[in-house]
Amino acid sequence: MFKFSYERFKPYKFYGVGKVLINVVGRVVFRIRIVGRENLPKSAAGVILVSNHIHSIDPAFLIAGTGLKWRFIAKKELFENPITAMLYGHGNAIPVDRGAVDRKAMDFAVEAMKKKEYGYGMAIFPEGQRSRDGIPHEAKSGIAMFARQTKADILPCSLYHDGSLKFRTKYIVRIGKIIPFEELGLGDTPNKRQNQLVGERIMAEITALWKQGSN
């Protein structure tokens, strides 16, 4: 059984294989359309990707849509099943306890972001869970806290599709413009009000992209 190691920062090689499979399967099963490729950085290193969250397979769409290397923050329950634990673990996801302040997971994520030589950024769903109605909702405070600790730039994205998700559904991955860390105004001292404002700005960017729908 796969056991997540908080001592290992070197990425697993399975990610590269999985990335190829995701692209092939994703484009056969769905009709993925990428909008805003020109906004992508050359490398994900030192960047936080933020997106709305509507399906459990959203990480696959973001990997296929951006073509970059991402570590994902994933709920710890996914690591309790041996099969999903292996897939998410070797896909370089990080388990986090959503019901508590998971200091161990956050410290690991911050340190992982500093290992820029591996070319990985961090992908986070600011809402903290999937949207049941498909509409982007309020961000949790964790995204602002993580940005403050890593001083990373923010890459907003949105995921959108019409109707129910089924075979050959058109799935839109829309990529926004980078928000430099300096524009967030977070500073070095934790501030509840500033965290809220940053969360609102991030979700506003995501929502604006999402509202463009399938255009």
Side-chain angles (χ1 to χ4, degrees):
M1 179 176 176
F2 177 86
K3 183 173 176 59
F4 187 84
S5 172
Y6 288 97
E7 285 73 48
R8 177 188 173 119
F9 291 101
K10 184 178 180 180
Y12 288 96
K13 293 181 180 179
F14 175 78
Y15 185 94
V17 177
K19 187 176 174 182
V20 173
L21 291 174
I22 285 170
N23 274 283
V24 173
V25 176
R27 294 176 191 282
V28 170
V29 178
F30 304 103
R31 292 185 294 147
I32 300 176
R33 179 180 168 218
I34 318 301
V35 181
R37 289 181 187 274
E38 67 278 6
N39 296 322
L40 286 171
K42 292 182 179 179
S43 169
V47 175
I48 302 173
L49 181 151
V50 292
S51 172
N52 59 313
H53 194 14
I54 49 181
H55 295 291
S56 58
I57 57 174
D58 288 344
F61 287 117
L62 290 171
I63 291 171
T66 65
L68 298 176
K69 299 177 180 178
W70 304 105
R71 290 181 181 269
F72 283 83
I73 301 292
K75 59 183 181 180
K76 69 173 185 177
E77 289 80 3
L78 292 170
F79 287 78
E80 294 172 358
N81 177 290
I83 296 176
T84 56
M86 181 187 70
L87 290 174
Y88 279 88
H90 283 273
N92 302 305
I94 301 170
V96 63
D97 184 350
R98 297 184 300 172
V101 178
D102 196 335
R103 192 74 262 165
K104 190 173 184 178
M106 291 303 292
D107 287 346
F108 178 87
V110 170
E111 288 303 309
M113 281 287 285
K114 294 178 181 179
K115 309 293 183 181
K116 294 184 180 181
E117 65 270 22
Y118 296 126
Y120 279 76
M122 193 67 62
I124 298 176
F125 299 112
E127 298 158 284
Q129 59 185 358
R130 281 179 284 171
S131 170
R132 295 187 178 184
D133 57 12
I135 300 171
H137 291 278
E138 184 178 338
K140 303 293 185 183
S141 61
I143 181 59
M145 294 167 61
F146 188 68
R148 177 183 288 108
Q149 292 182 66
T150 59
K151 292 181 169 50
D153 296 335
I154 304 293
L155 177 65
C157 294
S158 75
L159 301 173
Y160 178 93
H161 67 82
D162 289 319
S164 59
L165 187 63
K166 54 188 178 182
F167 182 67
R168 300 306 292 164
T169 294
K170 182 191 288 187
Y171 206 101
I172 312 297
V173 180
R174 199 176 298 273
I175 303 157
K177 294 182 179 181
I178 284 275
I179 306 173
F181 172 76
E182 293 74 20
E183 289 188 10
L184 298 176
L186 280 169
D188 296 319
T189 306
N191 182 300
K192 187 175 181 179
R193 176 55 178 163
Q194 195 60 40
N195 286 351
Q196 180 183 351
L197 291 174
V198 168
E200 289 174 356
R201 175 174 180 184
I202 287 173
M203 288 312 300
E205 295 280 350
I206 292 171
T207 302
L209 294 169
W210 178 84
K211 283 184 175 179
Q212 295 181 51
S214 58
N215 295 333

